């Protein structure tokens, strides 16, 4: 793609998938793609190549996200960091009463059950909560996507179609998804139980810590990559039936590209050399789905809990600022997949099928932006639309990418995130920024205890609860967007459009009213 199309794509994606405390990181210069069967967890311990692909996928998704342009895998991963955080924690003293213990157990019973191996997994009520939550996300994302396409069009008929037909229909689907989340997804009951558990965990920090620690035991939860022999904590996504479910159309017309380029924030425009702002691409379309990441070994409540702190010599994870600084101020919480990517250009009107949505390093502006995490809300405008900050280092004169470490200055050793650039197709070890050879996994029988990691991972995933995003007519506001399908036409490959990253609040943020050891 050229710079204008990439800029328009990133601008629209941020409006569709962004939000408060969230930023998107795009592998715009690092193609990341795979075949659906390569991430079939059910085959991971019978097919070493699938286990190897799962390892690469897990490494990529557990790297520290450092900004709008995804930099590839570094040399530290979330499971390593999380394990060290648990080791370094200082807990407040337990003070839970018998009545509080009864309330705590009741909330836990609503939220979790034990599987056949004795591991805690989501209760059926929580599974329904996540299913209907995801359906609401999908309906909302589709509404925003179609809205931007319609309002960017210069065709009055398209805008009339949106105003009179598509907008009311898609809004009704969002409302229906919201109602289903409330009722069928037990939203109030689940969130009340979560709030009760969080409140009472502060009365018994050791119970929470034991639960966190038991979910990440290296001998059980970290199988070994058969290629690199590196242990990893498996990470997948839900809905687990994503590739067999309905996908949504995403379309950029020439009108939309022009509108998004010129309306994009200056900070985002400065990331690319856009010249006169005219793209050679006349249309770009693909199908997309977003998916939540599943990490049975990580409880993200740790970032909000106020009953623990670090020893004085341990740097904080995040200072909670608008531009957070710290040793790990954000993590990848979800991913946006794309498939059936089709492009037409002024010189080649025939459809061209692409494997990934990437650009050449050469069209990045010089100096390239330094990667800095921020909360992408528009400040002082009242808008909730996400905005991308230009994270370049002022006055350095550098022409090579600069990676910010996010730790407080002088707060201990730094690591450098490696950046891969290439025009080729990345998969396997190259996808995670590791050496690509050897690429064929040797057949090794997994240890019996490693099979428990697969069991825990598959128990943590759930299937779709899909609300169709279109009415019976199948009409779209843009008129030229492809209909959602359940099969791919030109290739079975699925690529990653963006990583959805969540910034951390101030972490740790110990409550001074708790009883702390000296």
């Amino acid at each position: 793609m050229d710079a204008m199309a990439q800029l328009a794509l990133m601008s629209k994606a941020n409006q569709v998938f962004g939000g408060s405390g969230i930023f998107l990181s795009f592998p715009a210069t690092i193609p990341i793609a795979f075949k659906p069967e390569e991430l079939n967890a059910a085959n991971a311990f019978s097919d070493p190549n699938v286990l190897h692909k799962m390892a690469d996928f897990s490494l990529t998704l557990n790297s520290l996200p450092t900004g709008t342009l995804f930099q590839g895998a570094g040399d530290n991963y979330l499971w390593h960091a999380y394990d060290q955080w648990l080791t370094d924690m200082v807990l407040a003293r337990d003070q839970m009463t018998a009545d509080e213990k009864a309330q705590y157990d009741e909330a836990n019973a609503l939220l979790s059950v034990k599987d056949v191996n004795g591991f805690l997994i989501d209760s059926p009520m929580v599974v329904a909560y996540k299913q209907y939550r995801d359906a609401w996300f999908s309906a909302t994302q589709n509404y925003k996507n179609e809205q931007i396409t319609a309002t960017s069009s210069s065709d009055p008929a398209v805008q009339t179609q949106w105003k009179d037909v598509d907008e009311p229909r898609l809004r009704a689907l969002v409302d229906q998804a919201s109602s289903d989340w409330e009722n069928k997804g037990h939203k109030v009951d689940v969130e009340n139980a979560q709030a009760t558990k969080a409140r009472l965990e502060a009365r018994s920090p050791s119970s929470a810590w034991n639960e966190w620690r038991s979910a990440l035991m290296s001998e059980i939860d970290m199988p070994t990559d058969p290629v690199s022999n590196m242990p990893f904590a498996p990470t997948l996504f839900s809905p687990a039936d994503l590739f067999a479910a309905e996908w949504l159309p995403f379309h950029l017309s020439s009108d939309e590209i022009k509108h998004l380029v010129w309306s994009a924030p200056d900070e985002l425009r400065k990331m690319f050399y856009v010249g006169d702002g005219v793209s050679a691409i006349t249309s770009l379309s693909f199908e997309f789905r977003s998916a939540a990441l599943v990490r049975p070994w990580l409880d993200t409540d740790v970032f909000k809990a106020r009953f623990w702190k670090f020893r004085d010599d341990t740097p904080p994870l995040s200072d909670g600022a608008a531009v957070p600084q710290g040793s790990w101020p954000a993590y990848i919480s979800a991913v946006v997949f794309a498939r059936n990517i089709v492009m037409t250009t002024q010189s080649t009107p025939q459809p061209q099928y692409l494997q990934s949505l990437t650009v050449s390093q050469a069209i990045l502006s010089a100096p390239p932006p330094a990667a800095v995490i921020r909360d992408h809300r528009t400040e002082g405008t009242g808008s909730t639309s996400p905005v991308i900050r230009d994270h370049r280092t002022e006055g350095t004169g550098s022409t090579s990418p600069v990676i910010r470490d996010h730790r407080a200055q002088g707060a201990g050793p730094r690591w450098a995130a490696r950046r891969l650039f290439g025009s080729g197709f990345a998969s396997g070890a190259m996808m995670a920024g590791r050496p690509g050879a050897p690429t064929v996994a040797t057949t090794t029988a997994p240890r019996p205890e490693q099979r428990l990691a697969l069991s825990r991972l598959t128990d943590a995933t759930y299937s779709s609860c899909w609300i169709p995003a279109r009415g019976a007519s199948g009409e779209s506001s843009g008129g030229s967007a492809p209909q959602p399908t359940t099969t791919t036409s030109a290739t079975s490959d699925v690529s990653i459009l963006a990583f959805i990253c969540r910034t951390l609040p101030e972490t740790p943020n110990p409550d001074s009213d708790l009883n702390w050891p000296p």
Side-chain angles (χ1 to χ4, degrees):
M1 291 195 299
D2 59 31
M4 285 68 70
Q6 182 65 48
L7 173 58
L9 176 60
M10 291 169 66
S11 180
K12 183 174 182 178
N14 270 284
Q15 296 178 55
V16 172
F17 303 106
S20 176
I22 289 173
F23 70 95
L24 268 60
S25 188
F26 297 88
T29 57
I30 310 171
I32 300 177
F34 56 88
K35 298 183 183 302
E37 60 269 21
E38 293 176 340
L39 293 180
N40 185 347
N43 297 332
F45 291 125
S46 59
D47 185 340
N49 285 304
V50 172
L51 183 60
H52 171 57
K53 298 292 186 182
M54 184 185 295
D56 278 335
F57 191 74
S58 300
L59 288 167
T60 300
L61 294 172
N62 288 286
S63 301
L64 173 62
T66 55
T68 303
L69 292 181
F70 184 67
Q71 308 297 324
D75 55 4
N76 196 14
Y77 302 101
L78 184 54
W79 56 77
H80 290 150
Y82 184 51
D83 180 75
Q84 191 61 51
W85 302 337
L86 294 176
T87 300
D88 291 343
M89 283 181 183
V90 175
L91 303 177
R93 289 191 174 98
D94 291 351
Q95 303 177 82
M96 183 178 284
T97 66
D99 287 344
E100 289 171 334
K101 179 65 163 60
Q103 296 176 50
Y104 180 79
D105 290 343
E106 182 180 1
N108 257 339
L110 185 145
L111 296 172
S112 60
V113 296
K114 288 187 176 180
D115 66 7
V116 294
N117 296 305
F119 296 131
L120 286 176
I121 60 173
D122 289 337
S123 68
M125 187 175 288
V126 172
V127 170
Y129 175 91
K130 292 181 177 180
Q131 289 174 318
Y132 286 99
R133 175 203 63 190
D134 290 354
W136 178 83
F137 276 133
S138 292
T140 302
Q141 290 164 1
N142 190 58
Y143 178 94
K144 293 178 180 178
N145 173 36
E146 297 281 5
Q147 179 186 43
I148 295 167
T149 295
T151 56
S152 299
S153 175
S154 59
D155 186 346
V158 171
Q159 298 201 20
T160 299
Q161 169 76 13
W162 168 253
K163 179 181 177 181
D164 296 341
V165 179
D166 292 330
E167 195 281 337
R169 174 173 52 80
L170 293 175
R171 181 178 292 276
L173 288 171
V174 172
D175 291 342
Q176 182 62 54
S178 179
S179 176
D180 286 346
W181 188 11
E182 290 279 351
N183 299 305
K184 299 177 183 179
H186 314 285
K187 188 174 186 289
V188 173
D189 291 339
V190 168
E191 291 180 356
N192 284 342
Q194 291 171 335
T196 298
K197 181 180 179 182
R199 175 176 58 85
L200 293 176
E201 278 179 338
R203 303 286 293 168
S204 182
S206 65
S207 297
W209 187 90
N210 288 332
E211 191 172 311
W212 296 342
R213 172 52 74 191
S214 65
L216 181 58
M217 297 184 287
S218 59
E219 65 274 13
I220 293 177
D221 298 293
M222 297 187 66
T224 301
D225 180 354
V227 170
S228 69
N229 290 321
M230 175 181 174
F232 70 98
T235 301
L236 277 182
F237 50 84
S238 281
D241 59 349
L242 181 74
F243 300 121
E246 185 179 34
W247 286 45
L248 294 166
F250 195 108
H251 181 74
L252 286 175
S253 65
S254 56
D255 277 350
E256 196 169 3
I257 292 173
K258 183 184 301 182
H259 173 81
L260 288 166
V261 164
W262 290 114
S263 64
D266 288 341
E267 295 87 347
L268 185 56
R269 285 168 53 84
K270 290 175 183 176
M271 295 178 65
F272 296 95
Y273 177 73
V274 297
D276 59 5
V278 178
S279 175
I281 294 175
T282 54
S283 70
L284 177 70
S285 63
F286 54 89
E287 297 165 345
F288 78 91
R289 282 294 300 269
S290 64
L293 294 188
V294 175
R295 298 180 176 99
W297 46 270
L298 172 69
D299 189 338
T300 56
D301 285 345
V302 69
F303 303 128
K304 297 176 288 185
R306 301 190 61 193
F307 53 76
W308 66 271
K309 61 184 179 180
F310 284 139
R311 299 180 180 89
D312 292 340
D313 59 347
T314 304
L317 307 185
S318 174
D319 60 8
V323 183
Q325 301 293 314
S327 63
W328 205 285
Y331 66 97
I332 299 173
S333 62
V335 64
V336 183
F337 295 112
R339 71 180 186 187
N340 284 345
I341 306 167
V342 182
M343 178 180 73
T344 61
T345 66
Q346 296 174 2
S347 59
T348 310
Q350 294 79 18
Q352 304 173 55
Y353 289 89
L354 308 180
Q355 289 180 309
S356 59
L357 295 159
T358 55
V359 296
S360 168
Q361 181 190 6
I363 68 173
L364 293 176
S365 295
V372 176
I373 293 175
R374 66 154 292 175
D375 178 25
H376 297 292
R377 287 171 283 189
T378 302
E379 298 178 22
T381 65
S383 172
T384 58
S385 298
V387 177
I388 307 300
R389 285 280 299 275
D390 177 27
H391 302 304
R392 66 184 69 205
T393 301
E394 297 293 333
T396 64
S398 172
T399 58
S400 59
V402 179
I403 309 302
R404 285 283 300 280
D405 179 33
H406 299 296
R407 300 177 193 228
Q409 294 295 324
R414 297 175 178 266
W415 68 83
R418 285 169 285 177
R419 185 170 189 168
L420 291 182
F421 294 98
S423 58
F425 184 65
S427 62
M430 186 176 177
M431 183 177 77
R434 297 188 296 154
T439 58
V440 179
T442 57
T443 303
T444 56
R447 300 191 308 271
E449 62 268 23
Q450 287 188 335
R451 295 184 180 276
L452 293 176
L454 173 63
S455 174
R456 182 175 287 194
L457 183 65
T458 53
D459 283 345
T461 60
Y462 49 89
S463 59
S464 298
C465 177
W466 182 245
I467 295 177
R470 293 172 176 270
S473 67
E475 295 177 345
S476 72
S477 58
S480 56
Q483 295 300 304
T485 65
T486 56
T487 59
T488 54
S489 56
T491 173
S492 62
D493 295 322
V494 175
S495 67
I496 293 179
L497 167 63
F499 300 102
I500 300 176
C501 308
R502 184 167 294 278
T503 57
L504 269 58
E506 182 180 353
T507 310
N509 183 21
D511 185 347
S512 59
D513 291 334
L514 297 179
N515 187 0
W516 295 93

